[in-house]
């Protein structure tokens, strides 16, 4: 199964996270494919916008904990997290509008991706969480750029690992629009039509001025790479996986 799908629908590029059996968790290959598809869509002059969504009942559960647990040394960790950073860099560098259609839970890195989306539409039964601290890890995007986007709300989410509803996510500014599940893609099309009415040069200029600090994000990702090899993180990730197996 292809882990990330990319499909052109007229002048819109639809990218779908496609590991439904893993709640669209992102391993090294997934991050690399996401980076590639984002770059390809960004470079295609005939593409006017990009939509990112998930297949199945989740948007994304974030990093694949099994894959992270298998990281043996610094080289493994750097390979994995350089792939992650490549995808985030591609998100930051997008010149095209990016809409996120959140079709289910968005946890960890799956939630942090939303910090780089321009318009976020969520189903009303989606849940959101940044629980990396519970695994002895850190949420690199949340701590590097999240405060400038969401203010103190990002701090609470990161420090508590709380799960919040779509309505609360809207209240704090993480989500823009909440709809019934059956209305998700109709709403996406409605927002795409609005965006297409805006001059593309204006969009590109606004995107340039709104761009996040890539160096700050990269430093936080590299900090996470080192922490992923620590004894505390390995122990907590093991415990997390074992709990899932015994459910």
């Amino acid at each position: 199964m292809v882990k990330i799908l990319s499909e052109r629908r007229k002048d819109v590029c639809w990218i779908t996270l496609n590991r439904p059996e893993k709640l669209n968790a992102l391993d090294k290959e997934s991050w690399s494919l996401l980076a590639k598809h984002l770059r390809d869509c960004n470079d295609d002059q005939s593409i006017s916008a990009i939509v990112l969504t998930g297949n199945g009942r989740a948007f994304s559960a974030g990093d694949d904990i099994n894959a992270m647990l298998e990281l043996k040394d610094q080289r493994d960790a750097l390979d994995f997290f350089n792939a992650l950073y490549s995808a985030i860099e591609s998100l930051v560098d997008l010149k095209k509008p990016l809409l996120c259609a959140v079709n289910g839970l968005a946890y960890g890195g799956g939630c942090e991706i939303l910090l780089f989306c321009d318009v976020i539409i969520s189903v009303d039964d989606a849940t959101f969480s940044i629980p990396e601290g519970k695994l002895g890890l850190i949420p690199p995007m949340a701590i590097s750029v999240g405060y400038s986007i969401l203010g103190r709300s990002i701090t609470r989410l990161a420090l508590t690992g709380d799960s919040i509803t779509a309505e609360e996510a809207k209240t704090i500014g993480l989500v823009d629009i909440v709809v019934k599940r059956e209305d998700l893609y109709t709403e996406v099309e409605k927002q795409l039509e609005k965006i297409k009415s805006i001059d593309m040069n204006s969009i590109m200029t606004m995107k340039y001025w709104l761009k996040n600090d890539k160096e700050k994000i990269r430093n936080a990702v590299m900090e996470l790479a080192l922490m992923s090899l620590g004894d505390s993180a390995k122990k907590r990730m093991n415990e997390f996986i074992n709990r899932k197996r015994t459910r």
Side-chain angles (χ1 to χ4, degrees):
M1 180 184 288
V2 179
K3 295 178 180 179
I4 308 287
L5 303 173
S6 181
E7 176 189 5
R8 180 173 180 151
R9 302 181 192 175
K10 297 182 180 178
D11 60 340
V12 177
C13 179
W14 286 71
I15 298 175
T16 305
L17 310 179
N18 190 43
R19 299 181 76 198
E21 76 288 354
K22 297 282 189 181
L23 298 180
N24 298 324
L26 296 153
D27 59 8
K28 177 185 170 183
E29 181 184 357
S30 301
W31 284 116
S32 296
L33 283 170
L34 179 57
K36 177 185 183 303
H37 291 318
L38 287 167
R39 287 195 299 267
D40 288 348
C41 294
N42 198 43
D43 292 340
D44 188 336
Q45 298 303 310
S46 64
I47 294 294
S48 65
I50 301 166
V51 177
L52 178 62
T53 191
N55 184 15
R57 62 190 181 94
F59 177 72
S60 175
D63 286 316
D64 186 325
I65 304 303
N66 285 285
M68 288 180 63
L69 190 56
E70 292 174 1
L71 302 176
K72 297 180 178 64
D73 52 33
Q74 192 173 44
R75 179 175 179 177
D76 280 354
L78 288 175
D79 283 347
F80 183 97
F81 288 104
N82 277 328
L84 182 158
Y85 177 72
S86 178
I88 300 306
E89 183 178 42
S90 298
L91 286 167
V92 173
D93 286 341
L94 281 180
K95 298 176 183 177
K96 312 290 175 65
L98 174 64
L99 286 78
C100 284
V102 181
N103 56 298
L105 71 83
Y107 276 30
C111 183
E112 292 180 273
I113 284 174
L114 302 180
L115 298 172
F116 304 99
C117 295
D118 300 311
V119 180
I120 301 165
I121 305 152
S122 172
V123 295
D124 57 3
D125 59 349
T127 54
F128 303 80
S129 181
I130 303 175
E132 284 93 332
K134 293 180 178 181
L135 300 175
L137 302 168
I138 57 171
M141 291 77 83
I143 63 175
S144 57
V145 299
Y147 195 92
S148 65
I149 299 168
L150 298 182
R152 285 180 51 217
S153 295
I154 200 75
T155 306
R156 175 175 69 85
L157 291 177
L159 294 183
T160 66
D162 279 350
S163 174
I164 62 173
T165 66
E167 283 298 338
E168 184 174 353
K170 181 181 177 183
T171 298
I172 66 173
L174 181 60
V175 165
D176 298 302
I177 302 166
V178 177
V179 296
K180 296 291 185 183
R181 180 168 295 276
E182 61 268 24
D183 297 328
L184 178 62
Y185 297 113
T186 300
E187 185 63 36
V188 169
E189 294 294 345
K190 184 189 297 184
Q191 296 303 316
L192 283 171
E193 286 305 311
K194 291 180 181 180
I195 288 171
K196 289 178 186 179
S197 71
I198 305 298
D199 180 77
M200 183 54 72
N201 286 328
S202 296
I203 287 175
M204 291 173 64
T205 302
M206 288 187 279
K207 292 277 289 185
Y208 173 81
W209 283 101
L210 291 167
K211 184 180 290 191
N212 285 293
D213 185 342
K214 289 193 293 184
E215 188 61 28
K216 193 173 184 181
I217 298 167
R218 179 169 179 78
N219 289 339
V221 170
M222 291 303 103
E223 181 83 14
L224 173 58
L226 294 175
M227 291 184 72
S228 70
L229 299 172
D231 291 340
S232 177
K234 293 292 187 185
K235 178 183 176 183
R236 286 173 176 263
M237 285 190 283
N238 253 317
E239 291 171 348
F240 173 80
I241 290 169
N242 289 333
R243 282 197 302 272
K244 288 186 67 177
R245 286 173 180 163
T246 56
R247 285 176 184 170

